[in-house]
Amino acid sequence: MSVNSFGAKTELTSSGTPYQIFSITKVEGADTLPYSLKVLLENLLRTEDGANITAEQIASLGSWDETAEPSKEIQFTPARVIMQDFTGVPCVVDLATMREAVAELGGDPAKVNPLSPAEMVIDHSVIADFFGTDQAMSLNMDVEYERNRERYQFLRWGQTAFDDFKVVPPGTGIVHQVNIENLARVVFPRVVNGELQAYPDTCVGTDSHTTMVNGLGVVGWGVGGIEAEAAMLGQPVSMLVPRVVGFKLSGKLNDGVTATDLVLTITEMLRAHKVVGKFVEFYGPSVAEVPLANRATIGNMSPEYGSTIAVFPIDDKTLDYLRLTGRSTEQIALVEDYAKAQGLWHDPAVEPRYSEYLELDLSTVVPSIAGPKRPQDRVVLSESKAAFREVLPSYAGAPEELVGYDESVAETMPASDPIAVHPGQIDDSPAPDHELAVTGTLPRRVSKPTQVTLADGTTFELDHGAVTVASITSCTNTSNPSVMLGAALVAKKAVERGLRPKPWVKTTVAPGSKVVTDYYEKSGLQQYLDTLGFNTVGYGCVTCIGNTGPLIPEVSQAINDNDLAVTAVLSGNRNFEGRISPDVKMNYLASPPLVIVYALAGTMDIDLAQEPLGQDAEGRDVFMSDIWPTTEEIEEVIGGSISAEMFERRYADVFAGDDKWRALPTPDGEIFEWDDASTYVRKPPYFDGMPEQPAPVTDISGARVLLKLGDSVTTDHISPAGNIKADTPAGKYLTEHGVARKDFNSYGSRRGNHEVMIRGTFANIRLRNQIAPGTEGGFTRDFTLPEGPVSFVYDASVNYAAAGIPLVVLAGKEYGSGSSRDWAAKGTSLLGVKAVIAESYERIHRSNLIGMGVLPLQFPEGASADGLGLDGTETFAFTGVTALNEGTTPETVRVTATKADGSQIVFDAVVRIDTPGEADYYRNGGIMQYVLRHLVTQGQAA
């Protein structure tokens, strides 16, 4: 319970029900804070314990200096955790393992449950293998269950075994759309220690696009699995109080301009402004002009411009959306009453204090797309043909090493940025100007016409720029009825004029919610989408995460035989090279209506304002303007097609699942029955042999270097991702366990098997280990063998472990930057690494290393491995670590590196254990061990 130093605890009555709340008005300065920091302030007031969260920290947040650089650390306790299946499976695996460990230590395994509500939506596993048929969805679902049966059985067990853990089964929707349509509370009513409290709904999610819920006024963002597990188990998330960018909105969108056009404009602006690690908050007179669905689209794209969140305050539009989506009248009243009592209700006349300012007049937004490889590369639609021709030569016949370089993160949604061609160089430069904007002339077209004949005898010419994938996909846009019904109206008008997609285009629709299908059917527009081949292929992320499935076989063959630079057009949020399909080099983001238009055109080499999409039955040209609906038309269809009853019906029993889900043979009982033959879900060794009391911390001696790395090594470089290749340690493991190469699947799908994952750690194809010069990927030198031959990282780690030799990683600046992948820290620990010495760290990865029992150290100011003369062949000793046993954290430890000739390099490394909580985690060998012992010794539920 809160210490309540500020006397902030008071009562709020809503709909006749009294709630205990913590009033931020009791803290000086709170009234002028940005919306997002008010939410964090309430969080600290409610969780103040006098140790990790103190009155001084609370007062400091109230007097926040908006001009200062982030330096003050706080402990944030989210109200709930949201997960998707790829990244959420390891969290459930760890909870299941903790139950077994509690039982072995004599405790009650049933006490291992999430302390904070945890919800998982299975949405990342459906692949569009089938398309263009009414049977596409059911066929894809059959294959999905066949591929993922082991994982689904395990999750179904978790759904029944754990309290406060709920699973939304496959075929329901996309996690972020389900979140805003049903799971989000906005204001959370919950019984805490026997009293009914109300507090802001905050969340962390194991997916970077968790920020979609920011559109509802919910402060939440994506984290790695370790932080998510910690939050589930009642542990706070450590964070720096960020700078907050105020983004003022004025004016109104013009007719024909979509939410997608708006978000691509905002993405370009914020990426150029450099908002990585900052909060973005929208305010101003035109916030009320932005419908909730548009707000959600803007929040969803936060990772694309790099901010931690992009939040809108609560107002009447929020309440309207809650009514539309079937929330109870009591809940809606609570949201309004609480927001107004706490100063969280939007007042356009009030401008909070912000660190930085931007402004956009909505009337200046014009139709746009983004591509061919980054979300921030916005192209004005009227200039798209020139822009395409300008960049095409760099893709047509481009060297292989410059294409598909982010293959290693192709299927992993949580990546914050693609890996750069040269490690450490994230391309933040603006998109190049194209000739049309400068000279008025059109660049010459690079062309390579290729004849293709399909199985049915259809013959056509395929060339560079052909649109081979047209996909209405991703919660970014499928959550927005205006663009979804806009696309359906385009389809209707196109069918009525006799237009059809070109025969080389793979056409798919993958909504983020079944409500989309409901309003398509009620509006009578589904038939027109089906006529154009835009049949629903499933309810999941699909194309946006690379689950595009195979292209038309003859088209794929022609592309690869002739090295054609073809394109994909999708209504998603990410278009990195190699992400959408291995056959497609150029990817463009566009609104759902434009996806339909480009499928009809069949090429990016078209001026949609001037050139026809095709001809009607009378031979008359049909232009985009002929089939583009007006805003009034769209709003009329929305008004007659969408009702709260649809949401109420679809979400009435959302956790039950269909017959396939309910028919899964599922283990029961409090402890999971691990299948030794499973190659998807294995019991990890985190708690093997763990005593009830932690052993004293020891100094480290006789350590060898596993990897010596340069600057800006990201968690994407460290963490396993992408496809599993047969000649790697992970591929060999699967082969030895009877898995056929065609069934290897990806690292993402096998995150619940630590044996696969540790074999893929530090195995990224772009990683350069400086102690194995001339290599790329997961290679090192194995100094347990004569002459230290080059070896796979995993194989060397096995030999070091057998010899009892601890391991060290040496690194440069910004170690662990990028997204906060749990396996970057888990894999490091399981390989036997006991310490990392870097010049500087990304904050979350540093914290995650501690959470896995790895000691993060920092070179002295101005020093580096190279500057000290370290080449990675040395033997290391660390002394002074034992000071942690005395309840204090030493500022430095003495590092002695001994070379083969006996000479030594000695320096004092800074200990980067930054909070008392982190020290407790390290003393226990990791955060899970800390929580587990707390469970057993204190008898508290987790």
Side-chain angles (χ1 to χ4, degrees):
M1 296 181 67
S2 172
V3 175
N4 197 24
S5 298
F6 292 81
K9 191 174 182 182
T10 185
E11 189 173 281
L12 170 73
T13 299
S14 179
S15 300
T17 301
Y19 298 88
Q20 297 299 309
I21 70 169
F22 285 80
S23 174
I24 64 173
T25 62
K26 299 293 186 179
V27 181
E28 187 176 351
D31 57 327
T32 61
L33 284 177
Y35 173 91
S36 52
L37 296 192
K38 287 180 178 179
V39 171
L40 293 184
L41 181 62
E42 187 281 339
N43 198 275
L44 296 184
L45 284 170
R46 185 165 33 86
T47 56
E48 180 191 2
D49 61 4
N52 285 299
I53 302 166
T54 65
E56 290 75 19
Q57 291 170 348
I58 294 169
S60 176
L61 182 55
S63 59
W64 172 69
D65 179 0
E66 64 271 22
T67 65
E69 290 301 314
S71 62
K72 299 184 185 304
E73 190 147 7
I74 61 170
Q75 307 296 307
F76 166 62
T77 306
R80 60 191 174 94
V81 177
I82 187 128
M83 298 177 281
Q84 40 97 328
D85 51 310
F86 264 22
T87 49
V89 165
C91 297
V92 187
V93 166
D94 291 348
L95 285 175
T97 308
M98 287 181 72
R99 279 203 164 177
E100 202 162 327
V102 165
E104 290 172 358
L105 291 174
D108 180 2
K111 288 183 177 179
V112 177
N113 286 295
L115 271 178
S116 297
E119 293 145 338
M120 176 187 288
V121 180
I122 300 176
D123 67 352
H124 269 52
S125 299
V126 61
I127 299 174
D129 291 293
F130 299 91
F131 70 99
T133 166
D134 292 341
Q135 302 302 311
M137 186 175 66
S138 62
L139 292 170
N140 288 327
M141 284 283 288
D142 288 344
V143 176
E144 178 185 354
Y145 270 87
E146 184 181 327
R147 285 182 178 131
N148 298 282
R149 183 168 300 275
E150 288 181 38
R151 296 167 65 234
Y152 289 176
Q153 286 179 245
F154 173 67
L155 292 175
R156 186 137 160 69
W157 167 80
Q159 185 183 35
T160 58
F162 293 109
D163 298 333
D164 254 341
F165 172 65
K166 296 179 178 178
V167 176
V168 177
T172 305
I174 302 176
V175 56
H176 313 304
Q177 190 162 340
V178 173
N179 195 12
I180 64 168
E181 290 182 356
N182 180 258
L183 301 178
R185 285 75 158 178
V186 186
V187 172
F188 214 110
R190 185 169 169 86
V191 175
V192 180
N193 295 320
E195 65 180 23
L196 181 60
Q197 291 188 358
Y199 47 87
D201 177 12
T202 55
C203 70
V204 292
T206 60
D207 189 298
S208 60
H209 294 93
T210 298
T211 51
M212 187 167 184
V213 81
N214 296 166
L216 269 175
V218 176
V219 173
W221 59 86
V223 297
I226 293 172
E227 301 103 296
E229 288 177 39
M232 278 198 292
L233 295 167
Q235 300 301 304
V237 175
S238 178
M239 63 177 291
L240 296 176
V241 179
R243 290 176 68 83
V244 183
V245 179
F247 198 122
K248 188 174 183 178
L249 298 176
S250 60
K252 185 176 182 179
L253 290 179
N254 293 316
D255 190 54
V257 176
T258 69
T260 314
D261 303 322
L262 172 60
V263 76
L264 292 179
T265 302
I266 289 174
T267 298
E268 180 186 43
M269 290 177 66
L270 286 171
R271 187 52 100 153
H273 188 76
K274 300 190 183 302
V275 294
V276 172
K278 301 172 185 176
F279 281 8
V280 172
E281 189 168 309
F282 294 90
Y283 75 103
S286 289
V287 163
E289 294 290 338
V290 182
L292 200 291
N294 291 16
R295 299 179 187 187
T297 298
I298 293 166
N300 181 288
M301 290 283 278
S302 178
E304 277 58 67
Y305 37 86
S307 64
T308 304
I309 63 170
V311 71
F312 282 81
I314 298 169
D315 64 3
D316 285 321
K317 284 285 195 297
T318 315
L319 304 185
D320 290 344
Y321 185 80
L322 295 176
R323 290 187 193 95
L324 173 66
T325 49
R327 267 67 167 210
S328 70
T329 54
E330 293 79 13
Q331 179 65 24
I332 295 166
L334 176 61
V335 170
E336 181 175 7
D337 293 340
Y338 184 89
K340 289 179 175 177
Q342 289 280 48
L344 297 174
W345 187 266
H346 180 57
D347 182 350
V350 175
E351 183 173 298
R353 46 195 169 104
Y354 292 115
S355 308
E356 302 161 29
Y357 293 84
L358 279 175
E359 183 171 356
L360 174 64
D361 179 348
L362 299 180
S363 68
T364 64
V365 176
V366 296
S368 305
I369 59 175
K373 67 176 181 178
R374 302 183 307 177
Q376 67 265 34
D377 291 344
R378 186 176 69 92
V379 179
V380 175
L381 188 62
S382 61
E383 301 171 0
S384 60
K385 181 174 181 176
F388 164 73
R389 288 193 174 187
E390 188 74 20
V391 298
L392 178 58
S394 64
Y395 289 88
E400 185 63 32
E401 63 268 18
L402 297 182
V403 179
Y405 61 79
D406 94 332
E407 165 199 9
S408 55
V409 292
E411 49 74 36
T412 54
M413 194 73 144
S416 291
D417 278 299
I419 295 167
V421 175
H422 304 290
Q425 296 180 0
I426 297 299
D427 185 1
D428 242 347
S429 59
D433 290 332
H434 35 81
E435 289 185 27
L436 182 66
V438 180
T439 67
T441 61
L442 199 62
R444 182 180 64 83
R445 166 108 187 255
V446 178
S447 184
K448 192 176 185 181
T450 302
Q451 287 296 123
V452 180
T453 302
L454 301 182
D456 64 2
T458 302
T459 301
F460 51 81
E461 198 174 76
L462 199 68
D463 203 348
H464 295 311
V467 175
T468 56
V469 174
S471 183
I472 297 174
T473 183
S474 170
C475 52
T476 309
N477 285 289
T478 68
S479 60
N480 195 322
S482 66
V483 290
M484 293 299 282
L485 285 167
L489 284 170
V490 169
K492 177 178 184 292
K493 292 170 183 276
V495 169
E496 289 171 347
R497 293 297 299 270
L499 299 183
R500 296 292 184 273
K502 297 299 185 285
W504 53 83
V505 187
K506 178 170 184 173
T507 49
T508 58
V509 175
S513 160
K514 288 186 173 180
V515 174
V516 175
T517 299
D518 288 342
Y519 63 65
Y520 271 170
E521 290 178 349
K522 186 171 182 180
S523 66
L525 295 173
Q526 181 71 59
Q527 58 178 313
Y528 300 106
L529 290 163
D530 293 346
T531 299
L532 295 184
F534 280 93
N535 306 80
T536 298
V537 297
Y539 297 93
C541 297
V542 189
T543 309
C544 197
I545 56 165
N547 286 358
T548 308
L551 304 191
I552 298 166
E554 296 83 2
V555 172
S556 177
Q557 185 75 38
I559 292 167
N560 289 287
D561 287 351
N562 297 277
D563 194 23
L564 295 178
V566 297
T567 67
V569 182
L570 65 149
S571 64
N573 47 48
R574 290 198 168 153
N575 56 335
F576 305 145
E577 290 180 82
R579 181 182 181 88
I580 305 306
S581 167
D583 292 341
V584 180
K585 294 180 180 180
M586 307 172 74
N587 304 308
Y588 288 87
L589 303 181
S591 66
L594 276 176
V595 170
I596 303 276
V597 168
Y598 273 109
L600 300 172
T603 180
M604 289 303 300
D605 190 53
I606 183 173
D607 182 344
L608 292 172
Q610 304 292 331
E611 298 177 56
L613 301 173
Q615 285 74 42
D616 62 15
E618 284 73 41
R620 294 172 299 187
D621 286 343
V622 181
F623 295 86
M624 183 178 79
S625 58
D626 295 328
I627 61 172
W628 196 264
T630 65
T631 302
E632 185 179 354
E633 286 179 281
I634 295 171
E635 289 177 351
E636 183 179 347
V637 176
I638 289 175
S641 306
I642 304 178
S643 65
E645 184 275 332
M646 289 179 177
F647 292 90
E648 292 168 2
R649 181 169 58 85
R650 284 297 186 185
Y651 287 109
D653 205 6
V654 70
F655 304 110
D658 59 11
D659 292 342
K660 283 189 179 71
W661 179 255
R662 292 193 295 270
L664 280 174
T666 307
D668 54 18
E670 294 171 349
I671 295 177
F672 184 68
E673 297 175 10
W674 304 96
D675 180 359
D676 291 339
S678 175
T679 57
Y680 277 96
V681 179
R682 306 274 294 188
K683 177 187 172 185
Y686 306 132
F687 310 112
D688 290 356
M690 189 189 85
E692 186 171 326
Q693 296 298 322
V697 170
T698 62
D699 289 335
I700 302 168
S701 61
R704 299 303 299 250
V705 176
L706 184 64
L707 299 106
K708 179 174 179 283
L709 305 169
D711 293 342
S712 299
V713 170
T714 72
T715 49
D716 289 332
H717 287 106
I718 304 167
S719 184
N723 293 325
I724 300 170
K725 294 178 172 58
D727 59 351
T728 62
K732 293 174 183 176
Y733 167 87
L734 291 174
T735 300
E736 290 166 2
H737 283 75
V739 179
R741 187 169 181 173
K742 67 179 178 64
D743 296 323
F744 276 8
N745 218 323
S746 64
Y747 283 109
S749 66
R750 294 187 182 272
R751 281 191 176 106
N753 183 345
H754 65 281
E755 296 286 5
V756 171
M757 298 302 281
I758 57 176
R759 286 164 170 81
T761 303
F762 291 111
N764 182 282
I765 58 173
R766 296 296 171 188
L767 188 72
R768 292 185 175 91
N769 184 3
Q770 295 172 10
I771 62 173
T775 67
E776 266 193 327
F779 296 98
T780 190
R781 291 178 65 190
D782 183 353
F783 293 110
T784 67
L785 301 174
E787 306 300 323
V790 172
S791 164
F792 282 116
V793 166
Y794 172 77
D795 293 343
S797 76
V798 171
N799 290 341
Y800 282 123
I805 297 173
L807 297 172
V808 181
V809 171
L810 305 179
K813 299 179 181 68
E814 300 173 351
Y815 182 68
S817 58
S819 56
S820 51
R821 298 186 180 283
D822 54 338
W823 269 104
K826 286 181 175 180
T828 298
S829 174
L830 291 175
L831 286 171
V833 174
K834 300 301 180 185
V836 174
I837 317 175
E839 292 178 58
S840 64
Y841 290 90
E842 194 283 329
R843 184 183 55 81
I844 295 177
H845 183 60
R846 177 198 60 77
S847 179
N848 281 350
L849 288 172
I850 296 168
M852 291 306 301
V854 178
L855 180 65
L857 301 173
Q858 196 160 306
F859 286 109
E861 183 69 28
S864 66
D866 290 341
L868 291 167
L870 300 171
D871 62 15
T873 63
E874 301 84 2
T875 300
F876 282 74
F878 303 82
T879 55
V881 183
T882 53
L884 281 155
N885 293 320
E886 300 161 16
T888 60
T889 302
E891 291 186 6
T892 61
V893 298
R894 176 61 54 90
V895 181
T896 303
T898 305
K899 291 186 172 290
D901 62 6
S903 62
Q904 293 185 331
I905 299 169
V906 181
F907 60 96
D908 290 332
V910 180
V911 177
R912 290 302 314 278
I913 297 176
D914 295 351
T915 67
E918 289 179 347
D920 284 338
Y921 298 157
Y922 184 76
R923 278 189 285 266
N924 278 271
I927 189 169
M928 289 183 285
Q929 291 84 346
Y930 168 82
V931 172
L932 187 60
R933 292 190 174 104
H934 192 65
L935 268 176
V936 174
T937 59
Q938 302 298 321
Q940 294 182 0

